[in-house]
């Protein structure tokens, strides 16, 4: 073994001895009373065996040992109670800190949501936010395909709230032109390409949906004269629906369960969308709704009669196909005033 190896081994041994001695001294300081009791008990036991100690001396020694052990037990219990109190206090402080962190995260989340340029809505959030935007809205712009959800949900609710609040209401919508066979056929192809196997689309259904939207606007207008409707007919297919109130812009799909986009008023996208909708409406074919005032529409549960519907569209210069019979008119009235299962 080389001198270097001896020095390394000696150094390692010395280090181990030092660490062992340090650990023993630390234990002795923490458990001195217990150690003393143990030593006293051992000494008494030895002396009792090798010498003649009186019973009184032995009893007194036992009392000393028991006293030391009792002191050690009380000390350990006090230390344990102190540790428990410290642990409880630390847990309470941790709980309070987590509560503050949670509150701060909620504030940050709300600030981020409020400052977001675009919010993505899912499921029930779409209907909930649309309903909040409709609440007391004095203006509403819509652009889409046939306007099914607009006439079934949006229009009746904003009109009813305007009536309850005794304020005016302006609605402007842009839908497909039902008199344009080419655009109706293109829309049919689009809907069939996205079909879920339940809905059946053909040209006649597209026409019925669009005529029903126009009829619904005129019917609500007669029931609430403070409604100011504007309707534009487009020859461009829209794959998304645009709803714009004074509060926010909503962009939704024609199909349920698809996410929607929301841009609050004051954001860049909201301003861009307003400009887009204005220019698009200017390019559409406008319907002069004033002649509709001369055609009274029945407001009973059955809705307008066949003759009233024919006179209305004749006055609006929006001719219906000559092949339309009573069944077609019944379907248009039903879609205009009694639509079910309309999705946002």
């Amino acid at each position: 073994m080389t001198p270097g190896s001896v020095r390394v081994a000696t150094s390692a041994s010395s280090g181990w001895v030092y660490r062992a001695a340090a650990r023993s001294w630390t234990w002795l300081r923490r458990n001195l009373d217990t150690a003393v009791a143990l030593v006293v008990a051992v000494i008494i036991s030895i002396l009792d065996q090798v010498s003649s100690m009186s019973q009184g001396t032995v009893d007194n020694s036992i009392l000393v040992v028991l006293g030391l052990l009792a002191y050690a037990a009380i000390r350990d219990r006090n230390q344990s109670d102190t540790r428990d109190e410290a642990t409880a206090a630390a847990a309470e402080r941790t709980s309070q800190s987590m509560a503050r962190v949670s509150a701060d995260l909620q504030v940050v989340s709300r600030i981020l949501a409020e400052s977001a340029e675009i919010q993505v809505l899912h499921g029930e959030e779409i209907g909930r936010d649309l309903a909040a935007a409709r609440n007391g809205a004095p203006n509403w712009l819509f652009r889409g395909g046939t306007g099914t959800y607009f006439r079934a949900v949006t229009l009746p609710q904003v009109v009813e709230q305007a009536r309850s609040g005794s304020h005016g209401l302006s609605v402007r919508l842009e839908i497909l032109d039902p008199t344009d066979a080419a655009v109706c056929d293109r829309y049919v192809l689009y809907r069939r390409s996205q079909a879920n196997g339940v809905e059946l689309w053909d040209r006649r259904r597209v026409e019925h949906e669009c005529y029903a939207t126009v009829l619904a606007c005129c019917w609500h207008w007669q029931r609430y004269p403070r409604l100011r409707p504007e309707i534009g007919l487009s020859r461009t297919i829209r794959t998304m629906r645009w709803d714009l109130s004074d509060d926010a812009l909503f962009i939704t799909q024609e199909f349920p369960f698809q996410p929607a986009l929301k841009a609050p008023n004051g954001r860049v996208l909201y301003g861009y969308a307003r400009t887009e909708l204005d220019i698009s409406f200017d390019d559409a074919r406008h319907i002069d709704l004033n002649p509709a005032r001369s055609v009274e529409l029945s407001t009973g549960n059955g809705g307008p009669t066949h003759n009233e519907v024919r006179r209305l569209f004749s006055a609006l210069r929006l001719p219906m196909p000559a092949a339309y019979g009573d069944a077609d008119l019944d379907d248009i009235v039903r879609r205009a005033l009694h639509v079910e299962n309309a999705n946002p």
Side-chain angles (χ1 to χ4, degrees):
M1 180 179 294
T2 64
S5 301
V6 173
R7 286 194 299 272
V8 172
T10 303
S11 176
S13 299
S14 300
W16 180 85
V17 171
Y18 175 77
R19 289 191 297 272
R23 284 196 297 270
S24 300
W25 174 246
T26 300
W27 181 89
L28 184 61
R29 282 192 301 107
R30 293 179 178 176
N31 302 275
L32 180 61
D33 43 11
T34 305
V36 171
L38 179 62
V39 170
V40 171
V42 171
I43 292 174
I44 292 173
S45 178
I46 294 173
L47 291 176
D48 187 43
Q49 296 294 327
V50 302
S51 64
S52 57
M53 296 180 64
S54 65
Q55 185 63 39
T57 302
V58 174
D59 292 341
N60 291 333
S61 300
I62 292 174
L63 290 176
V64 171
V65 172
L66 292 176
L68 289 171
L69 292 176
Y71 171 77
I74 293 172
R75 183 205 62 187
D76 290 342
R77 178 172 296 179
N78 289 334
Q79 291 178 348
S80 177
D81 292 342
T82 302
R83 287 194 297 270
D84 290 343
E85 292 174 359
T87 301
E92 178 64 22
R93 290 193 298 272
T94 301
S95 177
Q96 294 175 354
S97 298
M98 292 299 294
R100 288 194 296 269
V101 170
S102 178
D104 292 341
L105 287 175
Q106 291 179 1
V107 172
V108 171
S109 177
R110 185 170 63 253
I111 291 174
L112 290 175
E114 292 174 352
S115 62
E117 178 66 37
I118 300 176
Q119 299 174 31
V120 180
L121 306 179
H122 301 271
E124 295 180 355
E125 294 177 331
I126 303 174
R128 181 199 64 199
D129 284 25
L130 279 168
R134 289 192 295 266
N135 187 19
N139 302 285
W140 199 277
L141 276 62
F142 171 82
R143 186 180 76 178
T146 60
T148 303
Y149 183 78
F150 172 82
R151 71 168 180 271
V153 179
T154 301
L155 183 60
Q157 290 189 10
V158 293
V159 169
E160 186 59 33
Q161 291 185 11
R163 180 184 289 106
S164 299
S166 299
H167 63 77
L169 171 65
S170 296
V171 296
R172 195 184 75 190
L173 60 150
E174 180 184 340
I175 60 175
L176 295 175
D177 188 343
T179 65
D180 190 320
V183 73
C184 291
D185 287 340
R186 292 200 306 273
Y187 189 73
V188 168
L189 292 176
Y190 164 67
R191 292 305 297 250
R192 286 179 177 177
S193 69
Q194 305 292 325
N196 54 16
V198 177
E199 294 184 308
L200 300 177
W201 283 87
D202 55 22
R203 183 196 299 178
R204 181 157 293 193
R205 177 176 176 180
V206 177
E207 294 172 351
H208 285 193
E209 295 278 1
C210 295
Y211 283 122
T213 300
V214 176
L215 174 60
C217 286
C218 295
W219 189 81
H220 284 287
W221 185 23
Q222 289 195 5
R223 294 180 66 244
Y224 189 63
R226 298 187 67 183
L227 170 65
R228 298 180 298 276
E230 296 180 86
I231 302 176
L233 303 179
S234 174
R235 296 184 176 182
T236 301
I237 294 176
R238 310 296 181 186
T239 61
M240 295 182 294
R241 298 179 303 198
W242 301 61
D243 288 272
L244 188 143
S245 71
D246 290 351
D247 294 332
L249 161 73
F250 297 87
I251 303 177
T252 56
Q253 291 284 332
E254 294 279 0
F255 309 97
F257 312 117
Q258 295 293 328
L261 302 180
K262 175 184 176 181
N265 190 353
R267 303 296 186 264
V268 175
L269 181 59
Y270 182 95
Y272 287 170
R274 181 57 194 257
T275 302
E276 165 70 16
L277 294 178
D278 288 344
I279 294 177
S280 179
F281 185 79
D282 289 343
D283 288 341
R285 179 166 74 93
H286 298 177
I287 299 178
D288 182 7
L289 296 177
N290 288 320
R293 295 179 181 274
S294 62
V295 181
E296 184 175 352
L297 301 175
S298 301
T299 59
N301 293 333
T305 66
H306 296 168
N307 289 334
E308 291 171 350
V309 173
R310 291 186 184 278
R311 289 203 308 271
L312 172 67
F313 285 107
S314 177
L316 296 177
R317 300 195 178 190
L318 191 63
M320 305 174 73
Y324 274 16
D326 290 346
D328 296 288
L329 299 179
D330 287 337
D331 187 56
I332 290 172
V333 172
R334 179 186 64 82
R335 293 180 185 277
L337 306 179
H338 307 292
V339 175
E340 298 178 355
N341 300 324
N343 297 299

